[in-house]
Amino acid sequence: MRIAILGTGPVGIALGNAFIAAGHDVVYGSRSPEKDGRPAPVTTTAIAADSADLILTALPGAAAISTLEAVGDDVLAGKIVLDVSNAVTPEGALAYPNDSVGRLMQERFPDAKVVKSLSTMYHGVMTDPTALGATTVYVSGNDDDAKNVVKSLLSDLGWPEASQFDLGGIETAVGPEHYIPLFFMTLQAVGAPVFNINVVR
Amino acid sequence: MRIAILGTGPVGIALGNAFIAAGHDVVYGSRSPEKDGRPAPVTTTAIAADSADLILTALPGAAAISTLEAVGDDVLAGKIVLDVSNAVTPEGALAYPNDSVGRLMQERFPDAKVVKSLSTMYHGVMTDPTALGATTVYVSGNDDDAKNVVKSLLSDLGWPEASQFDLGGIETAVGPEHYIPLFFMTLQAVGAPVFNINVVR
């Protein structure tokens, strides 16, 4: 499928490379499309989003909704938006305490199909999950068909079905997003980003 | 050792039974000491705390600090306080977003040795952790000796050393406490409370 990745930081580049390796057609949307070093064509966010079946927001979470507003409601209508972002302040605190950028994005763009996933780990784990053994990737979203498309993309990244934990509707994105302080604390204690959590039951 | 458990709800009862089984001397502190059905003597919170080496706050997190204020600064001075609580509103939201009851408790009682642990799972998992296989219990606190006492108690509950994840100082309690929305979301998705997360690295 054709995937527009909005954002050309380390997360967007890592996911783009992995999707290209899995046979997908990737285009980047960026406010600075002229920069080099991206693994796929780069254009404006609006043109990239308009051309794609799925739009992935690999942006700072606090900037994700305003970036989509610049893309436009009409471009987003009916499209799947996979939000992998976390909204934190420059100090690392939650920018939307007791809420989530995922839920706010769905509220702001009711005609898009927002799915939250992949926001709970380092990008090197997103694209090489089984190097750690079995761990968990959460999925939240209101539209089951859109979640199934995202789950198929997670499989393409190497996440076994048994590792894909469907939390429910987009209101459950508050859980993974509020995990981010624990991610940061664990990162400091471990001293390296290659870790993840596994739900054991 | 002598452990005063403040609170006679399901968490306090489960932990009291497990500490008694491990050979510890348990006393409960309660605002309603006359009620029956507790596995150890029940007295007032102040008398229980004064008699013990370690004070465990098995209370609603939003009530933990005010309960300790009623106990008194002089009783708490020099004592280990093991806080297992989560501070949530009646709607289940974080009562202290971007902060933690653990850190606030240490700030309010600078002469006590506050350790945060066991706040991230159902009480049936706190006291029978290996039934799930290897999973993680977090520990946060400023005083290493106090953390070592708590780690020994965790071992008494059945937590192997390898499962005890030391996050660092009490400021890291914000991580486990902000995990609680994800705990609730997972609980709803699983439909049963017997689960936990394991840090895999």
Side-chain angles (χ1 to χ4, degrees):
Chain A
M1 68 187 299
R2 186 162 169 90
I3 301 169
I5 299 181
L6 307 192
T8 49
V11 172
I13 298 294
L15 288 172
N17 277 315
F19 288 134
I20 291 165
H24 294 289
D25 183 17
V26 171
V27 59
Y28 284 95
S30 171
R31 286 176 304 178
S32 54
E34 69 289 356
K35 280 194 196 154
D36 293 331
R38 285 75 177 262
V42 183
T43 179
T44 66
T45 52
I47 291 173
D50 193 39
S51 74
D53 310 298
L54 181 144
I55 300 160
L56 191 152
T57 47
L59 298 157
I65 291 174
S66 60
T67 300
L68 291 177
E69 282 176 337
V71 167
D73 292 69
D74 50 335
V75 171
L76 295 174
K79 293 225 165 126
I80 301 169
V81 178
L82 170 54
D83 178 44
V84 307
S85 72
N86 278 292
V88 292
T89 68
E91 295 74 33
L94 298 173
Y96 304 129
N98 286 320
D99 208 338
S100 70
V101 60
R103 195 201 67 76
L104 288 164
M105 188 181 283
Q106 183 64 80
E107 183 177 79
R108 172 62 186 81
F109 304 103
D111 296 330
K113 300 166 184 171
V114 177
V115 180
K116 184 91 198 183
S117 192
L118 287 168
S119 63
T120 52
M121 77 282 296
Y122 169 63
H123 61 74
V125 175
M126 293 180 190
T127 56
D128 188 18
T130 51
L132 288 169
T135 64
T136 295
V137 60
Y138 299 96
V139 181
S140 302
N142 293 344
D143 187 287
D144 284 341
D145 291 339
K147 282 202 285 195
N148 286 335
V149 169
V150 168
K151 288 172 184 175
S152 169
L153 289 179
L154 293 175
S155 297
D156 290 343
L157 293 175
W159 291 94
E161 266 185 57
S163 293
Q164 301 175 16
F165 194 102
D166 191 330
L167 284 169
I170 196 65
E171 75 282 0
T172 66
V174 68
E177 290 196 31
H178 279 45
Y179 163 76
I180 205 68
L182 185 52
F183 173 86
F184 285 143
M185 302 302 157
T186 307
L187 176 62
Q188 282 205 304
V190 171
V194 183
F195 65 87
N196 193 19
I197 53 173
N198 188 36
V199 175
V200 181
R201 46 195 279 199
Chain B
M1 67 186 300
R2 188 164 169 87
I3 301 170
I5 299 181
L6 306 192
T8 50
V11 173
I13 299 293
L15 288 172
N17 277 317
F19 288 135
I20 291 166
H24 294 288
D25 183 16
V26 170
V27 59
Y28 283 94
S30 171
R31 285 177 304 177
S32 53
E34 69 289 355
K35 280 192 197 154
D36 293 331
R38 285 74 176 262
V42 183
T43 180
T44 65
T45 52
I47 292 174
D50 194 37
S51 74
D53 309 299
L54 180 143
I55 300 160
L56 191 152
T57 47
L59 298 158
I65 291 174
S66 61
T67 299
L68 292 176
E69 282 175 338
V71 168
D73 292 68
D74 51 336
V75 171
L76 295 174
K79 293 226 165 123
I80 301 169
V81 178
L82 170 54
D83 179 42
V84 308
S85 72
N86 278 292
V88 291
T89 68
E91 295 74 34
L94 298 174
Y96 303 130
N98 285 321
D99 207 340
S100 69
V101 60
R103 195 200 68 76
L104 289 164
M105 188 182 284
Q106 183 64 81
E107 182 177 80
R108 172 62 187 80
F109 304 104
D111 296 332
K113 299 165 183 171
V114 177
V115 180
K116 184 94 201 183
S117 192
L118 287 169
S119 63
T120 50
M121 77 281 297
Y122 170 62
H123 60 75
V125 175
M126 293 180 189
T127 57
D128 188 19
T130 51
L132 288 169
T135 64
T136 294
V137 60
Y138 298 96
V139 182
S140 303
N142 293 343
D143 187 286
D144 283 340
D145 291 339
K147 283 201 284 194
N148 286 335
V149 169
V150 168
K151 289 172 185 175
S152 171
L153 289 179
L154 293 175
S155 297
D156 290 343
L157 294 175
W159 292 94
E161 266 185 58
S163 293
Q164 300 175 16
F165 194 103
D166 192 330
L167 283 169
I170 195 66
E171 75 282 0
T172 64
V174 67
E177 291 196 30
H178 279 44
Y179 163 75
I180 204 68
L182 184 52
F183 172 85
F184 286 142
M185 303 304 157
T186 306
L187 176 60
Q188 282 207 304
V190 171
V194 183
F195 65 87
N196 192 20
I197 54 173
N198 188 37
V199 175
V200 182
R201 44 195 281 197

